[in-house]
């Protein structure tokens, strides 16, 4: 009887050890993203110029309080552009959130004929060192990856 009890207890502890050995949940806040991150991205300018591929490389600077700035160089179907970036972000405890850029009309860049805001979903590692984003505006297809 004692042997059965000990074996049952050992089995229970092993089971709890295996099933309960999950990593702690990440607890992100806006402060998880702080400082300079290099990014790369690609996509298509569907609503403005269907089928035209675009490539972007640059950096974001997250302030840790929900604001970001940055700079990018881009190729939109072979047209080269250099742009300053500004926006806001909100990161939830699960390290997922949203990011919005406000683009103002820029001379010589046809794709921004009017002021426009772009919207993104973002997913960040618990350490805040790397993230992925996907544009969520209807009719668009674009992704970016950023890393500290």
């Amino acid at each position: 009887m004692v042997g059965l009890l000990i074996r049952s207890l050992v089995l229970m502890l092993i089971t709890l050890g295996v099933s309960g050995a999950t990593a702690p949940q990440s607890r992100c806040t806006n402060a998880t993203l702080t400082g300079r991150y290099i990014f790369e991205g690609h996509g298509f300018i569907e609503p403005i110029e269907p089928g035209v591929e675009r490539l972007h490389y640059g950096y974001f600077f997250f302030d840790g309080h929900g604001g970001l700035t940055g700079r990018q160089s881009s190729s939109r179907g072979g047209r080269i552009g250099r742009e300053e970036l500004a926006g806001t972000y909100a990161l939830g405890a699960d390290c997922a959130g949203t990011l919005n850029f406000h683009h103002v009309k820029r001379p010589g860049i046809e794709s921004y004929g009017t002021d426009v805001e772009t919207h993104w979903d973002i997913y960040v590692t618990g350490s805040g060192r790397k993230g992925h984003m996907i544009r969520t505006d209807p009719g668009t297809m674009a992704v970016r990856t950023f890393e500290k």
Side-chain angles (χ1 to χ4, degrees), residues 37-42 56-58 60 120 123 129-134 142-148:
Y37 293 74
I38 299 297
F39 74 83
E40 64 178 292
H42 58 84
H56 300 281
Y57 294 92
F60 299 135
W120 302 76
Y123 301 91
R129 297 202 54 80
K130 189 172 183 177
H132 300 282
M133 48 198 283
I134 185 166
V143 295
R144 292 185 183 173
T145 299
F146 56 95
E147 188 168 358
K148 200 165 199 178

Side-chain angles (χ1 to χ4, degrees), residues 28-132:
C28 289
T29 67
N30 284 349
T32 303
L33 293 174
T34 303
R36 186 178 169 129
Y37 293 74
I38 299 297
F39 74 83
E40 64 178 292
H42 58 84
F44 291 88
I45 309 172
E46 297 299 333
I48 299 168
E49 298 175 277
V52 174
E53 187 173 7
R54 60 185 174 184
L55 302 170
H56 300 281
Y57 294 92
Y59 70 85
F60 299 135
F61 186 87
F62 292 93
D63 68 6
H65 301 286
L68 77 143
T69 56
R71 170 178 258 170
Q72 73 179 11
S73 296
S74 60
S75 176
R76 292 176 173 89
R79 288 191 320 264
I80 305 302
R82 291 172 183 86
E83 301 164 317
E84 300 292 322
L85 304 171
T88 59
Y89 68 96
L91 197 58
D94 64 351
C95 301
T98 58
L99 184 148
N100 300 316
F101 289 116
H102 181 72
H103 303 277
V104 295
K105 184 175 181 177
R106 293 178 177 89
I109 299 182
E110 299 83 10
S111 60
Y112 292 130
T114 60
D115 290 358
V116 65
E117 190 166 278
T118 59
H119 306 90
W120 302 76
D121 283 347
I122 59 174
Y123 301 91
V124 179
T125 60
S127 67
R129 297 202 54 80
K130 189 172 183 177
H132 300 282

Side-chain angles (χ1 to χ4, degrees), residues 1-16:
M1 180 77 169
V2 173
L4 179 61
L5 181 62
I6 291 174
R7 278 182 279 181
S8 297
L9 184 57
V10 169
L11 183 59
M12 183 179 75
L13 289 174
I14 289 171
T15 302
L16 286 175

